[in-house]
């Protein structure tokens, strides 16, 4: 017993001194989710991409203003509507010391787009992210030519999401080996992956410096960069306040003040790319009437909700596109907050006593949906919120033309590429995957179809603007807002900017 | 227990496992939600590309065929490939298991070392202030939500006092080449007492949070059964013989009083080993519970199936072990 208590005393004493140990140059990110795999070609997961993009560079990248910059490409040109030439940078090394060549770029794109190219008759789950790529050829030692089967203006916007792998390395370790080993050209190389716990990376000293268009170019600033997985937001905030981590993602709006008031940390925000909206079931007997849909739009005080519930961290929208998206129509009419008008519209539509409806949403947005529901109820649209799991609600609402039950769905759609194609088409084209409202407009379909292959940027932008104006008038959805991504950062951190596409690029981040 | 009896008990596992596999398979397959849709997320995709994904995951085959394949492979120890991780399920589960086992065992130790002495003391000093405090304490212990209690501990020890870390299993300056994958053991085997203390400082808060409800339950069970034993004739007889109080309590009474405690502890350990989603989430503990819940959300069928099978085996085996312990503690009980 004596030894026991002595041991206990020693342990407690030691713990008091041993607690948070971190090297001065360990930059630690408290992050929501672990990577699914380290293979850039074998996942469909945003968080995985955020982590491994620090070890792998792409042909193209984006700067913090979201404009596209050549990264492993020195430059690129569009030769014809369906042909792009990428001039590949020379002198770039993989982490294993081998040189990156045009062959590696071709190999990577082939691996992503060819049927069965992952081995075992498997095709990369990322294939659909690269649209109609038909062939990839190495035309000379430093040039890769990508040929599309039809014009696809989205290509440059989608390439920053694809990372270049080493042909030789993949052929040596196979797709199985790629899942847990990383050999990229990025600013950090893998040290250890403690699965479910953390991914530890160290500075790659032979780094070529990164995109010329993003300064400062050069090696990474910190010795080691670590993604530490802390799924619970309150614990992430605690880790930031305790100084255990230096950046946290998805800082919950309710913790913003607490972090701002702390001595050690601060808040950074950036416009997000996810549009929130309420889908109204156009097949139902209530919302087939445009006056009822207009009543919903007028019953909502978006500014109030943005201010009170979202802490002011969101931008109001009147169409599906985020204010930063290409082709955004900035002159859309606004459905002003006017509960009296909403009641009048309901009465005109034959509902003088109001309507009873249910609004589906997922647990994460229950609070916001409740606030929306109470505003609607005040204007005669008696709304009950029903919380369900995303997988189940999506199956209920995204029926791709099949019959659907339900009144309203409070939901969202992400658009990391900020190109309208990625969000407008799936939510507004007749019978498309994410068309929860069941909207169908020949004009919008035709415009979006034509815009998909239109090479002239101005013409293309005009088409999206017109489509957005039509949808704004038809009102299949009440367009709500695009929330900002909120990060908590240590005051010791410098040189880091949050990015609208939710990447956490640690290349230029320093700790003081 | 005879060898034949032992083998018979092991053979009883087979129908249990078959039944569990069938139920899990049917339940998860019939649950609404499509793994392919979830994987594609907010992206445009052609129907052909979607079909190709479905085919690559083997989801285009009829349900019965998939179940047959799953069983056939599972018998050979192959549980398929995780849709999400794109690696063998057995490998993914094996990586997370040590963290869960380590945390469960430490939580179990915390519970046993606090519950048994407290339960015995409460029984001896029945109706005293101490007994009442222990009873109220155990009620609190069972009722406090782990989520809330964990965050409370974090705010106090990690944020305000800054003497314990917020999350994870070990700090980043302690890199330990794994031997057993149990960090508390590996750090000692590698001769790294600093890393051992680091690991200990990481496990202490999650272990207390996880062990608290179990402590409360075990304490009440121990108290009740101790009270019962103390009323038995043989205790009165021992007292009449003039044995010391200490000897009566710890040698004669406790041994019998512990029988219910052992069986409850075994069953509770079964649920601990399943991993605790809440504690693992709050403390960023890289265990199995979190993995399984995340897998359910993305409808990662192979992983969920294998994990539930694993749970079933663990439960059956732990009950088996509890039965054996019974016979040791009470030779009159035969298996």
């Amino acid at each position: 017993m004596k030894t026991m208590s002595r041991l206990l005393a020693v342990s407690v004493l030691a713990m008091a001194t041993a607690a948070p140990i971190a090297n001065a140059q360990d930059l630690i990110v408290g992050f929501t989710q672990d990577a699914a795999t380290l293979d850039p070609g074998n996942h469909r997961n945003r968080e995985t991409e955020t982590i491994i993009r620090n070890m792998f560079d792409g042909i193209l990248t984006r700067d913090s203003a979201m404009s596209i910059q050549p990264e492993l490409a020195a430059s690129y040109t569009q030769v014809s509507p369906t042909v792009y030439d990428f001039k590949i940078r020379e002198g770039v090394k993989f982490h294993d010391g081998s040189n990156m060549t045009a062959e590696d770029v071709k190999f990577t794109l082939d691996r992503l787009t060819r049927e069965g190219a992952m081995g075992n008759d498997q095709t990369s789950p990322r294939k659909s992210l690269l649209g109609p790529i038909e062939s990839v050829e190495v035309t000379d030692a430093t040039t890769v030519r990508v040929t599309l089967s039809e014009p696809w203006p989205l290509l440059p916007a989608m390439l920053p999401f694809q990372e270049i792998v080493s042909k030789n390395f993949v052929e040596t370790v196979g797709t199985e080996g790629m899942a847990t080993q990383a050999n990229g050209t990025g600013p950090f190389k893998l040290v250890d992956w403690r699965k479910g716990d953390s991914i530890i990376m160290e500075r790659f000293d032979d780094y070529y410096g990164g995109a010329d268009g993003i300064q400062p170019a050069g090696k990474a600033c910190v010795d080691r960069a670590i993604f530490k997985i802390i799924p619970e937001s309150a614990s992430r905030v605690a880790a930031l306040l305790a100084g255990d981590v230096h950046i946290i993602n998805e800082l919950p709006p309710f913790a913003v003040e607490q972090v701002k008031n702390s001595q050690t940390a601060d808040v950074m925000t950036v416009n997000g790319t996810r549009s929130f909206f309420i889908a109204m079931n156009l097949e139902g007997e209530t919302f087939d009437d445009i006056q009822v849909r207009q009543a919903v739009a007028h019953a909502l005080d978006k500014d109030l909700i943005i201010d009170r519930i979202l802490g002011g961290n969101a931008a109001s929208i009147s169409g599906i596109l985020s204010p930063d998206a290409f082709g955004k129509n900035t002159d859309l009419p606004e459905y002003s907050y006017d509960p009296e008008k909403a009641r009048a519209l309901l009465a005109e539509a034959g509902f003088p006593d109001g309507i009873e409806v249910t609004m589906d949403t997922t647990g994460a947005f229950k609070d916001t949906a409740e606030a929306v529901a109470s505003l609607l109820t005040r204007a005669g649209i008696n709304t009950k919120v029903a919380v369900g799991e995303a997988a189940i609600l999506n199956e209920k609402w995204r029926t791709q033309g099949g019959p659907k039950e339900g009144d309203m769905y409070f939901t969202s759609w992400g658009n990391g590429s900020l190109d309208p194609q990625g969000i407008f088409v799936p939510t507004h084209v007749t019978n498309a995957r994410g068309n929860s409202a069941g909207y169908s407009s020949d004009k919008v379909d035709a415009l979006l179809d034509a815009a998909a292959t239109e090479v002239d940027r101005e013409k293309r932008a005009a088409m999206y603007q017109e489509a957005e104006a039509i949808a704004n008038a038809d009102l299949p959805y009440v367009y709500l807002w695009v929330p900002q991504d909120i990060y908590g950062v240590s005051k010791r951190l410098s040189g880091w900017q949050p990015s609208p596409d939710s990447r956490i690029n640690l290349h230029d981040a320093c700790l003081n | 227990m005879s060898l034949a009896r032992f083998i018979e008990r092991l053979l009883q596992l087979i129908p249990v496992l078959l039944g569990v596999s069938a139920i899990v398979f049917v339940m998860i397959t019939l649950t609404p939600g499509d793994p392919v849709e979830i994987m594609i997320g907010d992206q445009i995709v052609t129907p052909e590309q979607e079909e190709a994904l479905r085919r690559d995951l083997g989801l285009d085959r009829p349900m019965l065929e998939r179940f047959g394949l799953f069983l056939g492979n599972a018998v050979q120890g192959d549980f398929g490939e995780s849709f999400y991780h794109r690696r063998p399920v057995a490998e993914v589960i094996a990586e997370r298991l040590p963290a869960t086992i380590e945390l469960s065992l430490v939580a179990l130790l915390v519970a046993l070392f606090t519950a048994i002495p407290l339960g015995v003391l409460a029984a001896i000093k029945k109706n005293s202030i101490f007994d009442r405090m222990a009873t109220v304490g155990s009620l609190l212990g069972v009722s406090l939500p782990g989520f809330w209690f964990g965050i409370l501990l974090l705010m106090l020890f990690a944020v305000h006092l800054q003497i314990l870390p917020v999350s994870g299993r070990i700090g980043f300056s302690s890199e330990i080449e794994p031997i057993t994958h149990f960090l508390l053991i590996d750090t000692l085997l590698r001769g790294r007492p600093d890393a051992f203390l680091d690991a200990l400082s990481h496990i202490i808060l999650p272990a207390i949070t996880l062990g608290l409800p179990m402590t409360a339950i075990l304490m009440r069970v121990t108290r009740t059964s101790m009270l019962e034993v103390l009323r038995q004739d043989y205790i009165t007889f021992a007292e009449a013989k003039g044995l010391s109080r200490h000897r009566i309590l710890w040698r004669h009474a406790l041994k019998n009083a512990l029988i219910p405690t052992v069986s409850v502890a075994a069953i509770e350990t079964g649920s601990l080993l399943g991993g605790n989603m809440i504690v693992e989430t709050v403390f960023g503990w890289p265990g199995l519970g979190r993995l399984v819940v995340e897998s359910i959300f993305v409808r990662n069928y192979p992983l969920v199936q294998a994990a539930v099978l694993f749970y079933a085996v663990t439960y059956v085996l732990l009950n088996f072990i509890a039965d054996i312990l019974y016979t040791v503690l009470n030779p009159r009980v035969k298996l």
Side-chain angles (χ1 to χ4, degrees):
Chain A
M1 209 58 197
K2 248 186 191 166
T3 5
M4 269 295 284
S5 48
R6 221 176 274 161
L7 202 73
L8 206 72
V10 169
S11 312
V12 169
L13 201 74
M15 264 179 300
T17 48
I21 344 169
N23 287 349
Q25 285 304 326
D26 276 0
L27 170 59
I28 307 176
V29 182
F31 196 60
T32 38
Q33 238 189 62
D34 196 7
T37 167
L38 301 186
D39 186 346
N42 209 6
H43 71 91
R44 286 291 292 246
N45 178 263
R46 179 77 77 94
E47 284 79 5
T48 301
E49 169 127 7
T50 296
I51 295 174
I52 66 179
R53 196 64 168 78
N54 285 291
M55 293 183 277
F56 293 90
D57 278 358
I59 303 173
L60 306 178
T61 188
R62 286 183 189 266
D63 57 23
S64 54
M66 289 303 276
S67 49
I68 294 163
Q69 301 282 349
E71 196 169 37
L72 289 175
S75 62
Y76 68 104
T77 43
Q78 185 168 12
V79 182
S80 77
T82 55
V83 177
Y84 287 80
D85 274 352
F86 295 90
K87 200 84 189 154
I88 303 302
R89 217 180 244 278
E90 289 175 89
V92 175
K93 284 198 184 316
F94 283 108
H95 297 160
D96 66 0
S98 60
N99 286 316
M100 195 250 345
T101 65
E103 282 297 334
D104 294 306
V105 175
K106 171 183 161 55
F107 175 82
T108 302
L109 292 177
D110 281 347
R111 187 168 182 258
L112 292 167
T113 54
R114 293 245 168 120
E115 295 282 337
M118 301 295 288
N120 276 337
D121 205 24
Q122 300 267 304
T123 306
S124 168
R126 299 182 79 72
K127 179 175 162 60
S128 59
L129 298 175
L130 282 171
I133 288 189
E134 192 174 66
S135 68
V136 182
E137 293 148 87
V138 174
T139 48
D140 65 55
T142 57
T143 310
V144 172
R145 167 163 290 188
V146 175
T147 309
L148 306 168
S149 59
E150 58 179 13
W152 191 56
L154 212 56
L155 182 71
M158 292 306 277
L159 279 176
F161 296 119
Q162 313 301 340
E163 297 89 30
I164 299 305
V165 296
S166 152
K167 178 176 189 235
N168 192 16
F169 188 73
V170 176
E171 285 172 352
T172 311
V173 303
T175 288
E176 300 78 44
M178 289 294 286
T180 53
Q181 299 170 53
N183 181 30
T185 55
F188 293 97
K189 58 181 182 180
L190 179 70
V191 175
D192 190 12
W193 182 14
R194 301 178 182 171
K195 298 182 187 76
D197 182 84
S198 52
I199 290 191
I200 305 172
M201 304 173 284
E202 66 182 5
R203 181 176 45 226
F204 176 42
D205 283 324
D206 287 331
Y207 188 53
Y208 64 95
D212 293 330
I214 305 174
Q215 291 301 321
K219 284 186 274 185
C221 178
V222 290
D223 296 331
R224 297 205 301 177
I226 298 167
F227 279 85
K228 182 172 175 58
I229 313 308
I230 314 178
E232 165 55 38
S233 14
S235 311
R236 269 200 316 286
V237 173
L240 177 74
L241 296 179
D244 283 11
V245 302
H246 308 106
I247 300 175
I248 61 170
N249 71 331
E250 291 186 23
L251 179 70
F254 63 79
V256 165
E257 282 308 306
Q258 187 189 7
V259 172
K260 273 187 182 160
N261 293 335
S262 78
Q263 302 290 311
T264 53
D266 220 331
V267 173
M268 280 175 113
T269 56
V270 65
N271 289 340
T273 55
R274 178 167 287 275
S275 299
F276 278 74
F277 45 87
I278 303 171
M280 292 169 284
N281 185 356
L282 302 184
E283 293 164 17
E285 284 169 14
T286 323
F287 292 114
D288 56 346
D289 189 331
I290 185 151
Q291 285 176 314
V292 180
R293 305 202 294 272
Q294 286 168 345
V296 175
H298 283 297
L300 253 182
D301 189 352
K302 284 192 272 182
D303 293 338
L304 182 76
I305 294 179
I306 291 175
D307 191 42
R308 295 289 165 81
I309 310 258
L310 305 175
N313 299 303
S316 176
I317 47 173
S318 304
I320 190 71
L321 298 180
S322 119
D324 296 331
F326 172 77
K328 173 72 186 171
N329 186 337
T330 47
D331 297 321
L332 292 174
E334 185 68 49
Y335 291 83
S336 57
Y337 172 57
D338 189 345
E340 286 318 310
K341 190 168 178 185
R343 278 181 192 281
L345 281 163
L346 280 181
E348 272 176 53
F351 301 104
D353 302 325
I355 51 173
E356 302 268 340
V357 288
T358 303
M359 181 159 70
D360 289 323
T361 192
T362 51
F365 302 109
K366 182 169 175 279
D367 291 352
T368 321
E370 300 264 4
V372 167
S374 77
L375 282 173
L376 295 182
T377 302
R378 266 196 233 169
I381 304 153
N382 296 304
T383 309
K384 206 172 76 196
V385 173
V387 174
E389 194 203 345
I392 294 175
L393 289 180
N394 286 341
E395 200 156 279
K396 174 178 174 183
W397 281 92
R398 299 180 182 171
T399 55
Q400 305 192 23
K404 76 179 95 199
E405 304 265 315
D407 302 320
M408 294 195 278
Y409 183 22
F410 179 98
T411 184
S412 68
W413 196 274
N415 184 28
S417 68
L418 284 179
D419 188 284
Q421 177 94 355
I423 184 166
F424 220 145
V425 173
T427 53
H428 285 70
V429 166
T430 307
N431 297 344
R433 277 187 68 231
N435 190 341
S436 305
Y439 178 58
S440 177
S441 155
D442 293 345
K443 261 182 160 172
V444 169
D445 287 359
L447 280 167
L448 293 181
D449 197 39
T453 51
E454 176 57 62
V455 201
D456 184 316
R457 279 177 66 84
E458 272 176 38
K459 276 191 200 159
R460 189 165 177 254
M463 289 172 177
Y464 287 123
Q465 281 154 9
E466 192 184 341
E468 223 183 2
I470 297 171
N472 172 278
D474 288 348
L475 210 68
Y477 303 98
V478 178
Y479 305 100
L480 300 172
W481 46 74
V482 176
Q484 289 183 317
D485 293 337
I486 315 176
Y487 295 83
V489 292
S490 159
K491 287 192 172 150
R492 290 176 57 206
L493 184 77
S494 62
W496 183 78
Q497 282 290 329
S499 159
D501 57 3
S502 81
R503 251 180 81 180
I504 298 181
N505 185 346
L506 300 174
H507 174 209
D508 298 329
C510 293
L511 279 180
N512 309 317
Chain B
M1 183 176 48
S2 66
L3 187 66
R5 188 83 186 98
F6 184 77
I7 292 172
E8 193 190 323
R9 285 295 296 258
L10 278 184
L11 286 179
Q12 281 171 2
L13 263 177
I14 295 173
V16 172
L17 294 184
L18 270 178
V20 169
S21 323
I23 293 169
V24 174
F25 186 86
V26 170
M27 278 177 62
I28 190 155
T29 315
L30 295 185
T31 308
D34 175 0
V36 175
E37 281 290 315
I38 297 168
M39 194 179 285
I40 297 166
D42 297 347
Q43 297 288 347
I44 26 174
V45 66
T46 63
E48 296 77 43
Q49 288 164 337
E50 200 176 325
E51 266 326 292
L53 259 177
R54 204 172 295 283
R55 194 186 55 233
D56 281 355
L57 298 179
L59 289 170
D60 56 334
R61 303 178 189 194
M63 196 170 140
L64 263 183
E65 188 186 332
R66 269 157 48 204
F67 184 54
L69 266 178
F70 168 71
L71 276 188
N73 291 334
V75 170
Q76 300 163 44
D78 172 9
F79 294 97
E81 196 172 82
S82 161
F83 292 169
Y84 181 72
H85 306 86
R86 303 280 171 141
R87 283 189 293 137
V89 160
E91 188 180 311
V92 177
I93 291 182
E95 285 160 2
R96 297 294 194 92
L97 203 50
T100 287
I101 295 180
E102 189 169 40
L103 177 59
S104 307
L105 292 182
V106 176
L108 178 69
L109 286 181
V110 168
L112 287 177
F113 277 102
T114 42
I116 294 176
L118 287 179
V120 171
L121 278 178
I124 301 170
K125 299 182 191 275
K126 194 184 159 204
N127 291 335
S128 67
I129 291 282
F130 174 81
D131 182 26
R132 274 159 213 218
M133 274 170 55
T135 309
V136 171
S138 79
L139 191 68
L140 272 177
V142 179
S143 350
L144 283 183
F147 170 78
W148 180 80
F149 184 63
I151 299 269
L152 212 68
L153 289 180
L154 272 186
M155 292 316 283
L156 179 62
F157 290 102
V159 179
H160 290 294
L161 300 176
Q162 305 220 342
I163 55 173
L164 291 171
V166 173
S167 79
R169 278 182 88 189
I170 195 163
F172 295 114
S173 40
S174 309
E175 263 153 48
I176 298 293
E177 189 72 25
I179 304 171
T180 62
H181 291 276
F182 298 117
L183 287 180
L184 290 177
I185 298 173
D186 287 357
T187 47
L188 290 179
L189 290 178
R190 296 275 178 207
R192 290 278 306 275
D194 58 320
F196 172 78
L197 290 174
D198 188 18
L200 193 65
S201 73
H202 279 83
I203 206 168
I204 203 148
L205 291 183
I208 290 175
T209 312
L210 189 57
L212 180 76
M214 191 166 167
T215 308
I217 294 170
L218 289 183
M219 200 203 89
R220 296 171 71 162
V221 171
T222 310
R223 177 182 175 274
T224 315
S225 71
M226 192 71 182
L227 278 176
E228 204 153 299
V229 169
L230 287 177
R231 278 198 296 271
Q232 300 284 320
D233 291 345
Y234 75 90
I235 299 291
T236 321
F237 178 68
E239 276 169 356
K241 260 193 353 183
L243 290 183
S244 73
R245 180 86 179 140
H246 188 260
R247 198 175 158 89
I248 293 171
L249 283 178
W250 298 103
R251 214 185 141 98
H252 294 281
L254 186 61
K255 195 172 160 193
N256 287 315
L258 276 186
I259 295 176
T261 312
V262 166
S263 59
V264 172
I267 292 166
E268 290 282 314
T269 309
S271 49
L272 284 187
L273 285 180
N276 185 303
M277 156 70 181
I278 291 171
V279 174
E280 287 179 358
T281 303
V282 170
F283 293 98
W285 194 262
L288 189 61
R290 223 175 80 198
L291 177 72
V292 172
V293 176
E294 285 165 3
S295 300
I296 293 173
F297 281 128
V298 296
R299 300 288 186 273
N300 189 351
Y301 296 163
L303 199 141
V304 177
Q305 280 159 15
V308 175
L309 260 191
F310 166 78
Y311 292 159
V313 175
T314 315
Y315 260 96
V316 176
L317 285 181
L318 278 171
N319 274 313
F320 188 33
I321 292 171
D323 288 351
I324 294 175
L325 277 178
Y326 249 66
T327 59
V328 175
L329 284 171
N330 187 350
R332 283 176 302 178
V333 177
K334 291 261 181 300
L335 275 188

